[in-house]
């Protein structure tokens, strides 16, 4: 699921003609809204991404396969928390003049904590990222 999520987000940044709704193939709110908004702003500024991220590692931090149909604001399905380390060194973003908008000193990695939910469990094809937070890192180690 995590490689597909990363690939889809990259695809949306790389191809401005692709519909932003494609984010819902791999994410649900609130992450889907955050990602679609960021990608929309990126394209509105006529920036272009080059290169792709590479998943270095992913580890499961916790698994909760219970469902809470009474949860507010919406029913909570099974949830898995994953920490992923992603190599972003091959990714650049350029403006309309062809200049990079990525700081030269950007760290090579992002360490992402992803909350993955399945609103239609046990349907294995229904896992989606619901929240993603990340921090820049110099390495994937500890």
């Amino acid at each position: 699921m995590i490689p597909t999520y990363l690939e889809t987000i990259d695809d949306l940044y790389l191809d401005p003609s692709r519909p932003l709704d494609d984010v819902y193939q791999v994410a649900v709110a609130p992450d889907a809204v955050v990602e679609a908004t960021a990608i929309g702003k990126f394209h509105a500024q006529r920036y272009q991404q080059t290169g792709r991220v590479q998943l270095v590692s992913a580890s499961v931090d916790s698994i909760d396969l219970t469902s809470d149909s009474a949860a507010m604001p919406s029913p909570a399905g099974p949830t898995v928390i994953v920490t992923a380390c992603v190599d972003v060194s091959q990714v650049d973003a350029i403006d309309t003049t062809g200049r990079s908008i990525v700081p030269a000193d950007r760290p090579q990695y992002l360490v992402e904590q992803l909350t993955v939910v399945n609103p239609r469990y046990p349907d294995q094809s229904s896992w989606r990222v619901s929240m993603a937070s990340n921090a820049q890192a110099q390495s994937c180690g500890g």
Side-chain angles (χ1 to χ4, degrees):
M1 152 80 266
I2 302 307
T4 303
Y5 171 79
L6 295 171
E7 182 179 340
T8 301
I9 298 301
D10 260 357
D11 288 348
L12 287 164
Y13 274 104
L14 287 162
D15 183 358
S17 69
R18 191 164 172 178
L20 289 178
D21 282 352
D22 283 1
V23 75
Y24 288 100
Q25 296 172 7
V26 294
V28 294
D31 185 61
V33 174
V34 170
E35 292 294 345
T37 301
I39 294 164
K41 286 180 181 176
F42 183 86
H43 291 308
Q45 292 173 297
R46 297 180 47 215
Y47 293 154
Q48 291 183 316
Q49 177 175 314
T50 60
R52 289 185 165 275
V53 301
Q54 297 294 319
L55 179 63
V56 175
S57 63
S59 60
V60 174
D61 297 331
S62 68
I63 300 173
D64 180 359
L65 296 181
T66 60
S67 259
D68 182 359
S69 60
M72 289 298 174
S74 62
T79 303
V80 178
I81 307 294
V82 176
T83 297
C85 185
V86 180
D87 182 339
V88 296
S89 64
Q90 300 304 308
V91 176
D92 197 1
I94 54 175
D95 65 16
T96 56
T97 68
R99 280 193 293 236
S100 176
I101 60 167
V102 175
D105 61 349
R106 173 191 68 185
Q108 180 173 344
Y109 300 96
L110 285 179
V111 175
E112 296 193 87
Q113 184 170 40
L114 304 159
T115 301
V116 185
V117 299
N118 188 330
R120 291 191 288 268
Y121 188 77
D123 178 356
Q124 293 303 308
S125 67
S126 295
W127 289 99
R128 303 285 187 271
V129 173
S130 67
M131 292 193 317
S133 61
N134 62 61
Q136 294 182 337
Q138 296 297 331
S139 73
C140 288

